[in-house]
Amino acid sequence: MKKRVKKIISLIAGAALCLSMISTTASAETYVNYNYDDWGDPIPSQAGYVADASITGNDIGVGNLYEPADLFIDEEEEYLYIADRKNNRIVVTDLDFNLVRIYDTLNDNGTPTSLKGPQGIFIDKNTDYMYICDGDNERVIKADKDGNVLLYFTKPDSVLYGAETTFNPGKVCVDQSGNVYVVVRSVNRGAVMFDDEANFLGFYGANTVLATSEVIANAFWNLISTETQRLRTMKATPVGFSNFDIDGQFIYTVTESTTTTDDQVKKLNPRGDNILDAIDMAGYDFGDIPPAYYSMYTVANAMVDIDVSPTGTMTFLDINHGRIHQFDKEGWRLFLMGGIGWQLGQFQAATAIETHKDKIYVSDIRKNTITVFSRTVFGELVTDAAEYFNRAEYEQSTAIWEEVLRYDGNYRRAYTGIGLAHLFNKNYEPAMKNFKTALNQYYYNQAYEGYRNEILRENFGLIVGLIVLAVIGFFVYKFYRKRHPKKKERGV
Amino acid sequence: MLDYNNPQFVGHVLAHPFEGFEDLRWKKQGSIPIAIGIVVLLFVSMVLQDRAYGFQFYVSYDKIFNIVPFLVQSIILFLVWVVANWAMCTLVDGEGSMKRIFIYSAYAMIPYVACTLLGTFLSSFFVQDEGIFLTTIEVIGYAWSGLLIITSQKAVHQFTIRKTILCIILTVLAMIAILFLLVLLLTLMQQVVIFVMSIYTEISYRFRV
C-alpha cells in the first residue's frame, strides 16, 4: 500500500517536472514580455518579436566589429550598411549577413581619402548616394556607391554657427528636396542643415527648454542680478537631439537626455513643428512607463535611436534599459522587447536600430554584435490588425483582433478595435461592452450616446405616455386631496 | 411644524435652512437613529460614487478595492468632526451637547448625500457633453450642505454668525490635530506591538534551544 502511494506520488512529481520543463522551453525569450494596461501598470503579454540571432563580425567574415555605431538598410537593394566606427570602415552586407563590400577608403578625384570613426550612414532613396558621418575627420561625405566622393560637408563658416563650436557629425539624413540634416554632438540648437551644395542653411527643429521651477527661478534672479553674477548662474539650454529618422517629409527626432521627457520624441514637419501634437502625443514618454523619478536606483529612459517604417510604425531604442519600444503611427503601443544583459536579445549599449519588413536589427557597441529580431505569429497578427485599424477598416480587423485575443486576452487595443467595428455597424451594446473592457472612455461615450438615442427612439411613445400619465395622476391626486384633506391640515 | 414627528422634521430642516434648526432645537427634536442612518448613507454614497459612477465620466481602479479609505473619509471624518466641534464649542461658550452636535451635523449632511446619490444614479444616463448637469448637482449638494452646516452650528450652540464661523475654523484645526494624534498613536502602537512581538520571538527561541 505504502509503496503504491509512493509510486503515484513520484509519478505525479515526474509529470509536474516534465510540464514545468515544457513551459520553460515555450518562453524562449531572455527577457520579460510585458505590455501596459490603461492604468500604466505593466502586465504580462505575448512576445511580438523574438531574437533570432546575434551576428558578430566574424560571422560576416570581416573580423570583429568594433563599436558598430550606426545601421542603415537600403530598402531597394536590401543591403545592410554598418558603420563600424573604431575599425574606420563601413561594412555592407545583404540581409543574410553575406559580405557585399567594405568602404574604408574613398576615392576623392583620384586621391584616396580614408574614413576615421564613421558614426552615421544614410542612403538617399532618390539619388542613391551615400552620406557618411566621418566623425573624427569632422566632415560628412557624400559619395556614390562606387566609393567616389562627390561632396564634403564641413564646419559651416558662419556667424550663426559660431567659430568656437566644433563640428563632430554624429548622424545624417537627407530629405526629398536634397537638404542634408546633420546631428552635431556639440550643437543643441537642432540639426545643422545644408542644401545639396553643402551651403549652411541654418538649424532645424531645436528642442525647447522645459519651464521647470528652477528655470523660472533662474529667469527671475537674472532680472535683478548684475552682469558678473549672471555669468556665474547656470544657463538653461535645450537638450540636443541624439538621433533621427526620416519618413517621406517628416523627420522624427529622439533625445537621449534623461533630464526631460518634454521633447523626448518629436515628429517634425518641414517647418520644424512637432506634429505629434495632433495625436496628443507630444511630450509623451515613449519608453517604460514608470519613469526614473521614483527612486535613485531606477534609470531614466534614454532614446538613442528611432526607426520609422514605410507604414509609419515607430521603433525606439532605449539604451539605458536596452529595450525596444514599438508604436504604430497613431501612437498606440505595440510591443516591448529586450533588456540589459549578455544573453541573446539583451544589450549592453544598444545604439542603433533599423527595421525592415518583419525584422528588427539592433547594433550594440559593447557586445559588438548585431542582433536580429523577427516577428512572431502574434506580432504579425497585431501588426496586420493595426494596419487595418489605422486605415479605419475596422470590419476587416475584427477577425484578426479576435485571433489576437486568443493569444493575449489582455491586449486591450483588440477590444477597442472590435468595439469600433461594432460601433460603425451601429451595434451599440456590444460596442459598449468592448470599450468598457478596453477602458476606452472616449469611444464608450460615443457608443453610449448612440445606444441611448436608439432606446429613446424605440420607446418614444411609452415615455411620452408615462409623462402624460404622471401629470394626469398628479392633478387627480390634488383634486382628491382637496375633497379629502389629511387630518393634520384640517387642524386639530 | 408644531406637531411634526422626527421624519417630518428632517424635511422641515432641509426646506428651511435658516429657521429649521432653531425650530428643531426649540421643539427638542431630532433622532439619533435617523442621524446614524444618514452617516451610514454618507458612507454608502461615497462607495457607490466610486464603484457605480457612469463609465463615460469616471474610470475606477478596479484592480484593488479598499474599503478603509472610504470609511475614513466618511464615518471616521464625521465622528472626528463631532468630537472636535464639541471640544471647541466648550472653549467658545457653545451650548451644544455631543448628542445634539451629532444629530444636527448629520441632518446638515443630507443634501450632500442626496446629491451624491442622485449624481451617481444619473451619471449612467448622461453622455460626456451633458456632464455639466452632474457638476451642477454636485455643486448644489456642496453649497446646500455648507449652508446647513453653518446654520446648524449657529442653532446648536446659539452663536452669532461671526462666532459660528470662528468655531468652524477652530473645529477644522482641531480635527487636523486629532487626526495627527490618531496617526501618531497608530504608529506608536505599531512600534509597541513590534517590540512585544520581537521579545516574544527572542524568548521562544531561547526556550526552544
Side-chain angles (χ1 to χ4, degrees):
Chain A
M1 186 63 205
K2 230 181 179 180
K3 243 184 181 173
R4 228 163 110 195
V5 171
K6 249 187 186 170
K7 227 178 192 174
I8 290 170
I9 287 175
S10 59
L11 258 176
I12 291 172
L17 194 71
C18 286
L19 275 176
S20 70
M21 278 164 92
I22 289 168
S23 66
T24 47
T25 46
S27 61
E29 290 77 45
T30 50
Y31 43 84
V32 186
N33 284 303
Y34 63 99
N35 213 316
Y36 288 102
D37 66 10
D38 215 39
W39 290 291
D41 297 332
I43 45 170
S45 179
Q46 293 282 345
Y49 285 83
V50 283
D52 268 353
S54 175
I55 307 290
T56 63
N58 288 320
D59 295 333
I60 303 170
V62 291
N64 277 328
L65 298 173
Y66 193 10
E67 296 200 1
D70 198 13
L71 297 177
F72 189 84
I73 289 175
D74 189 334
E75 300 280 343
E76 278 165 42
E77 289 178 321
E78 304 209 315
Y79 284 166
L80 176 68
Y81 288 71
I82 306 161
D84 194 3
R85 180 149 79 102
K86 288 282 175 73
N87 282 334
N88 302 325
R89 63 183 179 182
I90 307 280
V91 178
V92 187
T93 70
D94 65 11
L95 293 184
D96 297 322
F97 294 99
N98 301 313
L99 183 67
V100 174
R101 66 175 295 172
I102 295 174
Y103 298 102
D104 46 8
T105 44
L106 300 174
N107 173 24
D108 181 11
N109 284 330
T111 50
T113 173
S114 54
L115 299 174
K116 202 172 165 206
Q119 294 185 30
I121 168 87
F122 186 86
I123 295 169
D124 186 3
K125 243 187 289 181
N126 304 322
T127 58
D128 223 26
Y129 290 137
M130 290 193 295
Y131 292 79
I132 301 167
C133 279
D134 198 6
D136 295 352
N137 283 332
E138 302 195 345
R139 63 185 181 185
V140 176
I141 304 170
K142 178 183 179 184
D144 64 13
K145 291 234 171 121
D146 299 325
N148 298 314
V149 175
L150 301 171
L151 203 58
Y152 291 121
F153 299 80
T154 48
K155 181 179 167 179
D157 185 22
S158 161
V159 189
L160 190 59
Y161 189 82
E164 286 140 32
T165 316
T166 52
F167 187 73
N168 41 353
K171 304 288 172 216
V172 59
C173 77
V174 183
D175 71 6
Q176 283 167 325
S177 43
N179 294 324
V180 178
Y181 304 85
V182 184
V183 172
V184 178
R185 299 279 179 228
S186 48
V187 170
N188 59 7
R189 280 177 287 178
V192 181
M193 191 174 163
F194 297 95
D195 68 4
D196 51 0
E197 268 144 15
N199 299 314
F200 175 60
L201 292 180
F203 298 103
Y204 175 80
N207 288 340
T208 50
V209 176
L210 189 64
T212 56
S213 54
E214 195 189 348
V215 170
I216 294 165
N218 276 346
F220 169 73
W221 288 119
N222 280 348
L223 281 180
I224 53 173
S225 54
T226 63
E227 196 68 34
T228 39
Q229 280 174 326
R230 241 175 271 174
L231 280 176
R232 263 181 282 152
T233 54
M234 207 160 66
K235 280 204 179 60
T237 52
V239 291
F241 46 76
S242 52
N243 213 325
F244 51 21
D245 195 12
I246 188 160
D247 160 39
Q249 52 182 325
F250 299 115
I251 292 184
Y252 297 72
T253 68
V254 289
T255 176
E256 215 173 313
S257 165
T258 54
T259 55
T260 171
T261 59
D262 205 34
D263 286 324
Q264 187 201 42
V265 174
K266 293 201 295 183
K267 180 180 181 180
L268 301 170
N269 66 5
R271 257 187 65 195
D273 299 327
N274 185 4
I275 61 166
L276 282 179
D277 254 337
I279 54 169
D280 281 334
M281 297 296 272
Y284 182 79
D285 191 343
F286 284 82
D288 279 339
I289 287 181
Y293 328 123
Y294 292 119
S295 106
M296 56 192 290
Y297 302 109
T298 49
V299 282
N301 302 318
M303 297 301 181
V304 282
D305 199 4
I306 175 172
D307 181 86
V308 184
S309 79
T311 53
T313 307
M314 302 178 273
T315 314
F316 303 102
L317 184 62
D318 175 359
I319 188 173
N320 280 356
H321 299 99
R323 206 158 283 149
I324 301 162
H325 299 269
Q326 197 167 54
F327 286 75
D328 78 352
K329 189 168 64 179
E330 301 290 327
W332 289 83
R333 194 182 281 275
L334 295 176
F335 310 110
L336 298 99
M337 69 216 92
I340 292 288
W342 290 98
Q343 287 173 293
L344 178 63
Q346 298 176 327
F347 305 106
Q348 288 295 311
T351 52
I353 188 164
E354 274 291 311
T355 62
H356 181 69
K357 288 181 180 156
D358 60 344
K359 296 253 199 273
I360 297 179
Y361 300 84
V362 181
S363 73
D364 189 316
I365 56 166
R366 280 187 66 204
K367 286 169 84 176
N368 292 324
T369 58
I370 291 153
T371 308
V372 187
F373 290 85
S374 61
R375 220 180 263 156
T376 58
V377 180
F378 176 72
E380 203 66 53
L381 283 172
V382 171
T383 312
D384 284 354
E387 279 286 297
Y388 284 122
F389 187 98
N390 288 343
R391 286 201 300 259
E393 293 170 3
Y394 304 116
E395 280 291 298
Q396 288 90 323
S397 69
T398 306
I400 313 176
W401 283 130
E402 268 157 13
E403 189 71 17
V404 167
L405 287 180
R406 280 186 48 222
Y407 282 89
D408 180 6
N410 276 332
Y411 207 84
R412 63 194 167 87
R413 191 181 173 192
Y415 293 104
T416 304
I418 295 170
L420 276 169
H422 285 306
L423 181 63
F424 276 70
N425 286 332
K426 301 204 163 89
N427 297 329
Y428 296 117
E429 237 173 315
M432 279 161 64
K433 195 169 158 250
N434 277 299
F435 292 139
K436 204 165 188 175
T437 315
L439 291 182
N440 198 322
Q441 265 181 306
Y442 177 75
Y443 285 126
Y444 178 87
N445 188 48
Q446 289 188 356
Y448 178 70
E449 196 167 1
Y451 175 71
R452 199 182 60 174
N453 287 345
E454 211 170 53
I455 292 221
L456 286 179
R457 213 178 302 126
E458 276 169 14
N459 302 313
F460 187 70
L462 184 69
I463 290 162
V464 170
L466 277 178
I467 291 172
V468 169
L469 263 182
V471 171
I472 291 172
F474 178 71
F475 280 111
V476 167
Y477 175 80
K478 271 213 147 173
F479 184 70
Y480 173 81
R481 269 278 163 262
K482 235 179 193 173
R483 286 283 172 84
H484 310 273
K486 271 186 192 169
K487 260 186 199 163
K488 258 178 212 158
E489 281 164 24
R490 246 187 272 145
V492 187
Chain B
M1 190 267 285
L2 293 169
D3 50 354
Y4 279 175
N5 55 18
N6 265 320
Q8 282 170 323
F9 245 117
V10 174
H12 178 71
V13 164
L14 291 179
H16 304 79
F18 292 102
E19 293 297 319
F21 284 109
E22 296 286 353
D23 295 340
L24 194 68
R25 185 184 155 79
W26 183 52
K27 294 293 289 180
K28 295 198 168 59
Q29 287 280 0
S31 99
I32 285 272
I34 289 179
I36 289 176
I38 292 163
V39 176
V40 170
L41 266 181
L42 174 70
F43 167 68
V44 170
S45 72
M46 277 182 160
V47 174
L48 280 180
Q49 195 180 26
D50 187 68
R51 305 318 301 170
Y53 215 74
F55 177 73
Q56 60 269 46
F57 294 105
Y58 176 70
V59 180
S60 55
Y61 192 75
D62 284 342
K63 288 185 191 169
I64 301 166
F65 176 66
N66 189 356
I67 202 86
V68 175
F70 297 100
L71 269 176
V72 171
Q73 276 170 39
S74 56
I75 294 178
I76 291 180
L77 204 61
F78 186 81
L79 293 179
V80 169
W81 158 267
V82 171
V83 172
N85 192 253
W86 175 75
M88 279 301 133
C89 82
T90 50
L91 292 183
V92 282
D93 295 332
E95 291 180 8
S97 65
M98 184 95 94
K99 182 185 155 196
R100 280 213 179 134
I101 294 171
F102 181 79
I103 292 169
Y104 287 36
S105 301
Y107 280 22
M109 291 309 290
I110 293 175
Y112 174 72
V113 175
C115 287
T116 309
L117 287 174
L118 182 68
T120 307
F121 176 70
L122 287 180
S123 69
S124 304
F125 298 101
F126 284 149
V127 294
Q128 278 174 3
D129 291 347
E130 297 150 5
I132 185 74
F133 291 113
L134 295 179
T135 320
T136 312
I137 290 171
E138 208 170 281
V139 168
I140 288 173
Y142 276 119
W144 198 350
S145 271
L147 181 65
L148 285 186
I149 284 275
I150 291 171
T151 54
S152 71
Q153 284 290 306
K154 192 164 169 291
V156 76
H157 298 311
Q158 296 292 301
F159 279 157
T160 57
I161 190 72
R162 188 185 291 186
K163 223 170 175 185
T164 309
I165 288 167
L166 175 75
C167 183
I168 287 176
I169 292 170
L170 283 177
T171 307
V172 170
L173 293 177
M175 280 169 78
I176 293 170
I178 290 174
L179 287 175
F180 172 70
L181 289 176
L182 274 180
V183 171
L184 203 67
L185 183 76
L186 278 178
T187 0
L188 290 177
M189 284 301 286
Q190 208 177 357
Q191 298 274 335
V192 171
V193 168
I194 289 171
F195 174 69
V196 172
M197 288 282 280
S198 52
I199 284 186
Y200 170 77
T201 349
E202 281 294 330
I203 291 172
S204 62
Y205 279 154
R206 270 303 131 144
F207 278 109
R208 210 171 290 163
V209 176

